Amino acid sequence: AVRKGLLEAAETLCRQALGEDEKDVLAPAVKSQRLYNLARIKRQRARFAQAGELLGESLAIETTLTGTDSPEVTRRLIELSLVLAGQGQWQQGAERLTVAIPHAYQLTDKERASLGNIVKRYIAQLKKTGQDAQAAGLEAAAAQLDSKASVSPGRGTSD
């Protein structure tokens, strides 16, 4: 439904997949993924507050399951930065990106390219609003991303 642009239908399906708290018990990894999927749809529908809440819950679960440096946590931090940008909270979003960037070498090439575009938009917005120091910090983190992407062992391999 998302690929066809049917976001309302996709949102309904995601909510149904989460089930009702009282009677449906999901494995934590499944619940985290479904919360993440629903949060992405909420963001696309500009329901930023709801998306932020869902991402917070998914991020808490994922951090417990996989640790703070996992690709799953990194993806959620990046998504949260998009939600925060949608709410005009650029400084808070930049903080999430700064945490995510050192672990981005674990992401796919497409995901890293998307992250690069997000970081560029963030840097431009931070500079536009006079937050030059934070923009410089994000630029430094992004430079670290570029160097890690080319030298990180095991990137793109399966164990």
Side-chain angles (χ1 to χ4, degrees), residues 53-108:
E53 289 176 22
L54 294 165
L55 279 170
E57 190 175 345
S58 177
L59 189 57
I61 294 168
E62 211 55 60
T63 300
T64 301
L65 292 175
T66 64
T68 58
D69 61 349
S70 72
E72 293 81 7
V73 168
T74 302
R75 287 182 187 101
R76 283 152 180 80
L77 289 170
I78 294 166
E79 185 68 26
L80 187 54
S81 77
L82 292 171
V83 168
L84 291 167
Q87 295 174 311
Q89 298 178 17
W90 295 95
Q91 186 173 357
Q92 295 88 335
E95 291 168 5
R96 300 320 186 279
L97 288 173
T98 302
V99 172
I101 287 170
H103 308 291
Y105 69 89
Q106 302 174 76
L107 304 177
T108 66

Side-chain angles (χ1 to χ4, degrees), residues 18-156:
L18 272 169
E20 296 177 25
D21 289 336
E22 307 84 47
K23 66 177 186 176
D24 294 326
V25 178
L26 299 172
V30 172
K31 183 174 183 180
S32 175
Q33 185 62 45
R34 290 179 182 177
L35 288 165
Y36 174 66
N37 293 343
L38 182 55
R40 292 179 70 192
I41 293 166
K42 294 281 190 180
R43 178 192 48 87
Q44 291 172 346
R45 298 190 72 198
R47 295 180 178 168
F48 300 117
Q50 293 171 344
E53 289 176 22
L54 294 165
L55 279 170
E57 190 175 345
S58 177
L59 189 57
I61 294 168
E62 211 55 60
T63 300
T64 301
L65 292 175
T66 64
T68 58
D69 61 349
S70 72
E72 293 81 7
V73 168
T74 302
R75 287 182 187 101
R76 283 152 180 80
L77 289 170
I78 294 166
E79 185 68 26
L80 187 54
S81 77
L82 292 171
V83 168
L84 291 167
Q87 295 174 311
Q89 298 178 17
W90 295 95
Q91 186 173 357
Q92 295 88 335
E95 291 168 5
R96 300 320 186 279
L97 288 173
T98 302
V99 172
I101 287 170
H103 308 291
Y105 69 89
Q106 302 174 76
L107 304 177
T108 66
D109 290 343
K110 184 177 178 182
E111 289 170 323
R112 282 192 311 280
S114 178
L115 174 58
N117 289 330
I118 293 166
V119 169
K120 286 176 188 172
R121 287 188 304 211
Y122 257 89
I123 290 169
Q125 182 64 30
L126 290 169
K127 287 180 177 179
K128 183 179 174 183
T129 58
Q131 299 176 57
D132 295 333
Q134 192 160 20
L138 199 50
E139 285 175 327
Q144 179 186 4
L145 169 65
D146 292 338
S147 67
K148 276 192 172 188
S150 60
V151 297
S152 294
R155 187 178 58 105

Side-chain angles (χ1 to χ4, degrees), residues 6-18:
L6 304 172
L7 296 178
E8 187 173 341
E11 182 179 336
T12 300
L13 291 171
C14 281
R15 265 191 269 111
Q16 290 172 350
L18 272 169

